[in-house]
Amino acid sequence: MTITRHLPRFGLRGLQRFNNVSGYTVLMVLSALFMIPLYWMFSTALKSPQQTFAIPPEWVPAPAQWDNFAKVFDEVPFGRFYLNTFFLVFANIAGHLVSVTLVAYGFARLRFPGRNVLFLVMLSTLMIPYQVTLVPRFIMFSKLGMINSYWPLILPAFTGSPFLIFLVRQYMMSIPFDLDEAAYIDGASRFAVFWRIILPLARPALMLVVVFTFIDVWNDFLQPLIYLNDPDMFTVSLGLSFFQGARETNWNLLMAGSVLAMIPPLILFFFAQKQLIGGISVEGLKG
Amino acid sequence: MSALARRLPRAWTQLSPSERREALAGYLFISPWIIGFLVFFLGPILASFALSFTRWNIVGTPQWVGLDNYERIFTQDPFFRKAVTVTLKYAAFYLPLEVIFGILIAVVLNQKLRGIGVFRTMYYMPYIVPKVASSLVWVWVLNPRYGLLNTMLGWLGVNGPSWLSDPDWVLPSIIMMSLWGVGGSAVIYLAGLQNIPNQLYEAASVDGANRLQKFVRITLPMLSPTIFFQLVLGLIGTFQTFTPAFIAAGRSGGPLQSGLFYMLYIYNRSFESMRMGYGSALAWILTVFIMIITLLVFRSSKYWVYYEAERKRTK
C-alpha cells in the first residue's frame, strides 16, 4: 500500500490497472519462456530436412510437412511402441488399483497390533533411493528368466506403491467411521464394507492413483531400458531414445516423435487438471 | 522390527476374539504391501549389501572380495570422483534455483487476474512432457549451429557456446533443461501460498508493512514446510537424475564425462559393463550419503521450518 502513498495521482483504480498491466506483462514473458521450446519442437516436427537446417531458422515452416507424423510410424515401429506403453500403463493401473486400495483400507480402517510400526516402516521406504534395489531386482528377474518380458515392469505394481498407499489411506481416514459401524450392525462383512462403502467414497483418491500411475509409467525410461532388449517390446520413451541413437540428424522426425510421445500425458492432463492440482495440494500436506 | 516382535505376542493375547478376527483381516488386507516389501525391497536391499562385497558379472558364481570394491571406488576410481563432483555441483546450483524460481512463479500465479488458469496450465505443461522427449527437445534447442537458443543469442550479437559438446557448458545446459520443468514445483508452492490465511496479510497492512516485508515475514515462514518438503524430495531426486543426462550428455557421460551423473555411472557399471558387485557398492555409497543428507536436513528443519499445528499444540 506504500505505492498509493508515492503515486497519489493514480488513485485506487489507476493503481489496480497498473498492477494488472504489470501482472500480465510478467505472465506473458514467463509463458514465452515456457512455451518457446514447445513451439520449436512442434515447428521442427513439421519441417523437411532442408527446412530443418535452414539458417536463419524458419519460424513457420512453409509448406508444413504434416506427413512427418506418418513417416515416424514408417521409419520406426511407433505404433507398436504406443500399444506396448498403453499395455504397461493399464496393467500398472490395474495392479495399483487392486493393491493400493486393499492396503490403504487395512491401514486406515482396521486395528491390528503393529499397525503404526508397519505404517512407519512403509513411509520410511520412501526415503531409500530405488537405486539400491535396482541391481538385485535385475538379478532376481534375470534368474527367474523374466528379462526381456513385461513381468519386471508389471509385477511390482500388484504389491502397491508406498506413496499412493499413503495418499489413499489419508483420504480413507477422512471418511466417517459411523458408516462402517452401521454396515457391520446390518451384518455386512469387512470386504463388503470395503467394496460397497469405502471404495465408492474414495473415488477421488482413486482417480489420483490412475493419473499418477499413468504419468509415471508412460514417462519411465530407466526400467524399460534395463529390462527390455527386443525393439518390438520397446516403450515410447525407450523407442524414442533409440531413434535418436540411430538417426542423429533427422531432427524433424525426432521432434515429430517427441510430439507424439507427449500427446497422451497431455490429454490426460487436460482431463484431470482438477484432480492433479487438488492431488498436488494433498501431496504438499505431507511436509 | 525387533520392537514389533517384542510387542506383538503380549498385545495379541490381550485381544478379544472379535478383535483378533479384525487383526487377522487387517494383516490380510495389507498383505500385498508386506509381500512387496519383502520381495522387492528388503530382500533386494540385503542382497545388494552382500553383493557389494563380491565380484560378479551375473553369469557364474559371485566371488567374495571383501572390501575390495569399496577400496577401489574410494582410492583408484577417477570416474567415481567425477560422478560425485558432477552430481554435487548440479545439486548445489539446481536446488536453490528451483526453490527461488518455484516460489517466484507461484507468487506470479497467485495474482487474482482473469485467465490466470491458462497461464498456470502453460507453466505446468513442460513438466508433463515425458523426460526423454523434453531432453530431446532441449538437445535440439541447444544445437550450436541450428538450435533456437544460439539463434536468439545471435540476434543480441552474442556468439553462443556449443552447449552440450563443450565440457564447461554441459552442466549449465542440463540445469537449464531441468529448470524448464519448474512449473511442477511452482504448482505445489502455489497450493502452499493459497493455504496462508488472508488475515495475516490484512493485519500486516494495518501495521503498515510493505510488500517485501509481508513476503519475508509472512509468506516465507508460512511456506517453509512446503519448501522443506520440496527440498527433501528435490535432494533425493537430484541424486537419482538419469534420463536428461543419458539423453543430453550421452550414455558415457558426454565430453570429458562432464555430464556423468552418479546414477548414470551406476547404470554404466552395473548394466553396460555388467559388474553387479561394483554397481551395488556404488549404490550403497549413494544410499548412505542420501540418508545422511536427509537426516541433516531433517535435523536442521527445527531452526527454519514453521509448523502452525505445533504452535497450537504447545499453547
Side-chain angles (χ1 to χ4, degrees), chain A residues 205-217:
Chain A
L206 301 189
M207 273 302 297
L208 269 184
V209 171
V210 171
V211 171
F212 281 146
T213 308
F214 190 109
I215 290 181
D216 269 3
V217 176

Side-chain angles (χ1 to χ4, degrees), chain A residues 15-28, chain B residues 105-120 123 190 194 211:
Chain A
L15 177 73
Q16 189 62 47
R17 197 173 301 151
F18 170 78
N19 270 347
N20 281 356
V21 169
S22 63
Y24 278 120
T25 313
V26 174
L27 283 168
M28 296 295 239
Chain B
I105 289 168
V107 169
V108 170
L109 282 177
N110 201 25
Q111 302 174 93
K112 286 184 185 59
L113 292 174
R114 202 173 295 170
I116 198 83
V118 179
F119 289 103
R120 193 184 59 201
Y123 298 178
L190 182 63
Q194 289 171 347
R211 276 185 182 187

Side-chain angles (χ1 to χ4, degrees), chain B residues 81-97 167-168 171-172 175 238-239 258 261:
Chain B
R81 249 165 277 163
K82 187 73 198 181
V84 170
T85 326
V86 167
T87 312
L88 285 182
K89 251 195 217 166
Y90 173 81
F93 285 99
Y94 173 66
L95 282 176
L97 288 174
D168 292 334
L171 211 48
I175 292 173
T238 299
F239 294 111
S258 49
F261 277 68

Side-chain angles (χ1 to χ4, degrees), chain B residues 18-91:
Chain B
S18 83
E19 282 172 330
R20 280 186 197 182
R21 274 198 302 275
E22 179 176 352
L24 276 181
Y27 295 126
L28 204 61
F29 270 102
I30 67 163
S31 60
W33 169 72
I34 293 187
I35 294 169
F37 174 72
L38 296 175
V39 176
F40 295 121
F41 190 83
L42 194 63
I45 279 200
L46 297 177
S48 156
F49 188 64
L51 276 175
S52 72
F53 301 107
T54 67
R55 187 176 301 142
W56 192 27
N57 62 353
I58 212 165
V59 285
T61 40
Q63 190 189 340
W64 185 267
V65 293
L67 285 170
D68 204 40
N69 286 331
Y70 290 97
E71 201 186 314
R72 263 210 268 169
I73 288 171
F74 284 119
T75 57
Q76 294 166 31
D77 187 347
F79 294 114
F80 168 74
R81 249 165 277 163
K82 187 73 198 181
V84 170
T85 326
V86 167
T87 312
L88 285 182
K89 251 195 217 166
Y90 173 81

Side-chain angles (χ1 to χ4, degrees), chain B residues 113-154:
Chain B
L113 292 174
R114 202 173 295 170
I116 198 83
V118 179
F119 289 103
R120 193 184 59 201
T121 305
M122 283 203 276
Y123 298 178
Y124 194 72
M125 226 145 85
Y127 183 70
I128 298 289
V129 181
K131 275 278 173 306
V132 171
S134 71
S135 304
L136 281 174
V137 170
W138 275 92
V139 173
W140 176 229
V141 165
L142 295 174
N143 185 300
R145 238 171 101 76
Y146 309 101
L148 177 78
L149 191 57
N150 276 1
T151 304
M152 290 171 89
L153 286 175

